[in-house]
Amino acid sequence: MSGSGPGPTAVPTARRGRRTVDLPDLVARARAGEARAVARLISLVEDASPAVREVAAALAPHTVRARVIGLTGAPGVGKSTTTTALVRAYRQAGQRVGVLAVDPSSPFSGGALLGDRVRMQDHAGDAGVYIRSMASRGHLGGLAWATPQALRVLDAAGCDVVLVETVGVGQSELEIASLADTTLVLLAPGMGDGIQAAKAGILEVADVLVVNKADRDGADQTVRDLRAMLTLGERRDGAWRPPVCRTVATRGGGEGVAALVEAIDEHRRWLDSSGERARRRVERAAREIEAIALAGLRERMGEVRGSVALGALAEAVVAGETDPFRAADVLLAQL
Amino acid sequence: MSGSGPGPTAVPTARRGRRTVDLPDLVARARAGEARAVARLISLVEDASPAVREVAAALAPHTVRARVIGLTGAPGVGKSTTTTALVRAYRQAGQRVGVLAVDPSSPFSGGALLGDRVRMQDHAGDAGVYIRSMASRGHLGGLAWATPQALRVLDAAGCDVVLVETVGVGQSELEIASLADTTLVLLAPGMGDGIQAAKAGILEVADVLVVNKADRDGADQTVRDLRAMLTLGERRDGAWRPPVCRTVATRGGGEGVAALVEAIDEHRRWLDSSGERARRRVERAAREIEAIALAGLRERMGEVRGSVALGALAEAVVAGETDPFRAADVLLAQL
């Protein structure tokens, strides 16, 4: 399935110079599946370029049809190899696959991640796979902002499945869960055991739990712990019960990956039958709107910072002519 | 200087029940130096009670005259003992002293800190000292919000000097520097050496560097390192050159504390002669106004979260009828 194409068609990740963009043309080419056009559109949304609004408007009629699968877990649990194994499985099933690897700790993006290069080699020459690394610390902050836009781009480019992979640190696993239709939480035996996971609240975001490196000592115990903890949590009738899958993503075609794909499919059927998919997508859109609105407010606050108006208000406060609350009211009235 | 009064007059820190407040009376009593009135006013501003606006308005005409001295440094460098030694020195000079101990990691306030209790014992019975612990994680976030209001209360209560002490973690040392007229950065030999300090950017906020526990091994080296690094930094003519003081705050009356007080005084003279004090106070007021305005915006965003309006916008985005940027515009127009 790989190495047979004319050359690497994974999304080129080098930053492009800023030039005038023929947006309708770019969107048309992305929708035709042209990798460079997809890359360019993602760069535009990721950089929060002024064109981002036009891109969003151009993509709006093409509502997201792709299944969005989130992968999260502590560093070292094998997220990249699991992603690679899933990409392979979906490609073998004839699906077009997008991968967004989000690094919440890096201000850099565009292929700087080692894992990205490894995967690119693996899928180089396969026109059915788009791979993109993203930084989550953008100008306007966070996964919540750029990732949904990038999802829309990949969807417009005809991806059937988009895998969003992020390391589970801080709030990122909660953010990814809000983006994904199905969230996989990865654990490995002996690192980040079930109790740690429960403490960190990640069990609550998991739709499917994956114990990777399941050939290692302690895997049975980790699986048992997780199942016990899942039984403890009271769930209402008709609620989804997260299965616990065991994988060895590095081995051969990826041991246990077929069962994982089946678990994800089962969750998909539940999403549709329960109406949960629609609810999640509305919730996702609401968070996206909020994030954009907050970014806009912050931007406007940034504009008044150091402005003549704020300086005058500050001087009035220092002189005792007004208090900071009344001054803030005046400032807000000017936004 | 202590133990001679009728009983503990350090600010009582237990939370009061919420009752109607006679604000003009409270402000009048605080201005007369009544410790309980001061404590009550600080509680009002810290809790972001609705009365906070009235308190600020009532205090506005009484512009801050107190000198504000910030102390910051890593855990364990001896901030509390240094604060205690400085309080003693200023009290011996006949000054009224306020202390705000800000714990950026704690959501609790009001005397929960061990250090606070220790200090209270030391200065119990001294009506010339107000001591108050504050949590910086309040409803509306951060040191930037409540501390300036508490400063105004202490100033109105007749404090000549207010010491604001906070542990140097995350952004707190930058925040304290923006609040203080003079910022002391404390280091101890063998922990957080000069290079670490330089990396963390704390040298840039220091007006006076204090190597505490200067009787320990490595103190000379730490002092030399700091002086060398300060020489490396290019400063323009007339700029303040931070001195490096050596103290053993725990010893006797506080070894080296007299020289530290003199260094702070020298900085005070420079603040006045250079016009820097006025500039810093305007800058501080500007940040305070911004923080209040941002808190107000966040509060308004919180009100729309889960609202019918946001839900409808999110559904329109999911249906492809609009894009999230246009939806955010609609949301912002409703704020």
Side-chain angles (χ1 to χ4, degrees):
Chain A
M1 60 146 274
S2 71
S4 58
T9 51
V11 176
T13 48
R15 293 304 182 95
R16 305 252 166 284
R18 299 284 164 264
R19 14 167 230 259
T20 318
V21 182
D22 181 353
L23 209 57
D25 174 62
L26 203 58
V27 170
R29 286 194 286 129
R31 289 182 57 76
E34 192 189 308
R36 295 175 69 91
V38 173
R40 185 87 177 90
L41 281 175
I42 295 181
S43 289
L44 287 173
V45 300
E46 190 184 31
D47 294 351
S49 110
V52 69
R53 296 184 66 102
E54 293 169 65
V55 175
L59 294 175
H62 316 294
T63 59
V64 175
R65 282 166 220 284
R67 285 187 287 146
V68 182
I69 301 171
L71 289 95
T72 188
V77 296
K79 289 180 295 299
S80 292
T81 47
T82 304
T83 301
T84 304
L86 285 173
V87 169
R88 198 179 298 126
Y90 286 120
R91 289 298 296 135
Q92 281 169 350
Q95 309 257 287
R96 292 178 74 89
V97 184
V99 178
L100 291 173
V102 182
D103 183 350
S105 66
S106 170
F108 305 108
S109 68
L113 298 177
L114 177 64
D116 194 36
R117 295 181 187 187
V118 171
R119 281 192 303 261
M120 282 180 70
Q121 287 179 345
D122 209 25
H123 296 288
D126 181 355
V129 184
Y130 296 96
I131 296 169
R132 176 68 175 223
S133 294
M134 297 184 78
S136 70
R137 277 195 207 157
H139 306 287
L140 297 166
L143 202 51
W145 204 90
T147 316
Q149 317 304 327
L151 277 177
R152 280 215 174 75
V153 174
L154 290 174
D155 185 70
C159 288
D160 302 295
V161 177
V162 178
L163 301 166
V164 184
E165 172 196 329
T166 193
V167 64
V169 291
Q171 292 298 301
S172 55
E173 63 268 37
L174 303 180
E175 290 186 4
I176 208 170
S178 80
L179 287 173
D181 297 318
T182 301
T183 299
L184 315 185
V185 171
L186 274 66
L187 298 99
M191 52 177 307
D193 65 1
I195 292 163
Q196 289 292 339
K199 275 189 189 161
I202 63 168
L203 291 187
E204 288 168 37
V205 304
D207 297 309
V208 178
L209 283 153
V210 183
V211 178
N212 191 33
K213 306 187 180 181
D215 52 342
R216 289 205 184 163
D217 283 351
D220 291 341
Q221 187 59 47
T222 301
V223 170
R224 269 197 303 273
D225 285 353
L226 288 171
R227 288 197 174 131
M229 255 170 308
L230 290 168
T231 312
L232 285 177
E234 280 297 314
R235 288 172 188 260
R236 56 185 196 286
D237 284 349
W240 173 253
R241 289 171 192 276
V244 181
C245 296
R246 304 172 61 127
T247 54
V248 186
T250 49
R251 190 177 287 171
E255 203 173 288
V257 171
L260 173 57
V261 167
E262 174 50 32
I264 296 168
D265 275 347
E266 199 175 319
H267 185 250
R268 172 171 62 143
R269 290 189 288 273
W270 175 80
L271 283 174
D272 288 329
S273 65
S274 65
E276 177 71 6
R277 183 192 305 279
R279 201 199 63 74
R280 288 193 183 191
R281 294 208 165 184
V282 170
E283 174 63 24
R284 184 198 305 171
R287 290 185 64 137
E288 193 182 344
I289 296 167
E290 268 188 38
I292 292 169
L294 263 178
L297 289 174
R298 253 186 252 118
E299 202 170 22
R300 289 190 227 170
M301 282 299 291
E303 284 163 16
V304 302
R305 173 168 292 210
S307 69
V308 175
L310 179 57
L313 287 167
E315 279 170 21
V317 167
V318 170
E321 293 157 13
T322 188
D323 68 77
F325 290 86
R326 277 182 284 174
D329 289 343
V330 174
L331 194 67
L332 287 174
Q334 291 177 0
L335 286 185
Chain B
M1 56 146 273
S2 73
S4 58
T9 50
V11 176
T13 47
R15 293 302 183 98
R16 306 251 165 285
R18 299 283 163 262
R19 14 168 231 258
T20 320
V21 182
D22 180 353
L23 208 58
D25 175 61
L26 203 58
V27 170
R29 286 193 287 127
R31 291 183 54 76
E34 193 190 309
R36 295 175 70 92
V38 172
R40 185 86 178 89
L41 282 175
I42 294 181
S43 289
L44 287 173
V45 299
E46 190 183 29
D47 294 350
S49 113
V52 68
R53 296 184 65 102
E54 292 170 67
V55 174
L59 294 174
H62 316 295
T63 58
V64 175
R65 281 166 222 284
R67 284 186 286 147
V68 183
I69 300 171
L71 288 94
T72 189
V77 295
K79 289 180 294 299
S80 293
T81 48
T82 304
T83 301
T84 305
L86 284 173
V87 169
R88 198 180 297 125
Y90 286 120
R91 288 298 296 136
Q92 282 168 348
Q95 310 255 287
R96 290 178 76 89
V97 184
V99 177
L100 292 173
V102 183
D103 183 350
S105 66
S106 171
F108 305 107
S109 68
L113 297 178
L114 177 65
D116 194 35
R117 294 181 186 188
V118 171
R119 281 192 304 262
M120 282 179 69
Q121 288 180 343
D122 209 25
H123 297 287
D126 181 355
V129 184
Y130 295 97
I131 296 170
R132 176 69 174 220
S133 293
M134 296 184 79
S136 70
R137 280 199 205 151
H139 307 286
L140 297 165
L143 202 54
W145 204 90
T147 317
Q149 317 303 327
L151 278 176
R152 280 214 174 76
V153 174
L154 290 175
D155 186 70
C159 289
D160 302 296
V161 177
V162 179
L163 301 167
V164 184
E165 173 195 327
T166 193
V167 66
V169 290
Q171 293 297 302
S172 55
E173 64 268 37
L174 302 180
E175 290 187 4
I176 207 171
S178 80
L179 287 173
D181 297 319
T182 301
T183 300
L184 316 185
V185 172
L186 274 65
L187 298 100
M191 52 177 303
D193 65 2
I195 292 163
Q196 289 291 341
K199 274 190 191 159
I202 63 168
L203 292 187
E204 288 169 35
V205 304
D207 297 310
V208 178
L209 284 153
V210 183
V211 177
N212 191 34
K213 307 187 178 181
D215 52 343
R216 289 202 184 164
D217 282 351
D220 291 341
Q221 188 59 47
T222 301
V223 170
R224 269 198 303 273
D225 285 353
L226 288 171
R227 287 198 174 129
M229 255 171 306
L230 291 167
T231 313
L232 284 176
E234 279 296 312
R235 288 172 188 260
R236 55 184 198 287
D237 285 348
W240 173 253
R241 289 170 192 275
V244 181
C245 296
R246 303 172 62 126
T247 54
V248 186
T250 50
R251 189 177 286 171
E255 203 174 287
V257 171
L260 173 56
V261 167
E262 174 50 31
I264 296 168
D265 275 347
E266 199 175 320
H267 186 250
R268 171 170 63 141
R269 289 188 289 272
W270 174 81
L271 284 173
D272 289 328
S273 66
S274 64
E276 178 71 7
R277 182 191 306 278
R279 199 198 64 74
R280 287 192 184 191
R281 294 205 165 186
V282 169
E283 174 64 22
R284 185 197 305 170
R287 290 186 64 137
E288 193 181 344
I289 295 166
E290 269 188 37
I292 292 168
L294 262 178
L297 290 175
R298 250 185 254 121
E299 203 170 22
R300 288 189 227 170
M301 281 300 290
E303 285 161 16
V304 301
R305 172 168 294 210
S307 67
V308 175
L310 179 58
L313 287 167
E315 279 168 21
V317 167
V318 170
E321 293 158 13
T322 187
D323 68 76
F325 290 86
R326 277 182 285 174
D329 288 343
V330 175
L331 193 68
L332 286 174
Q334 291 177 359
L335 287 185

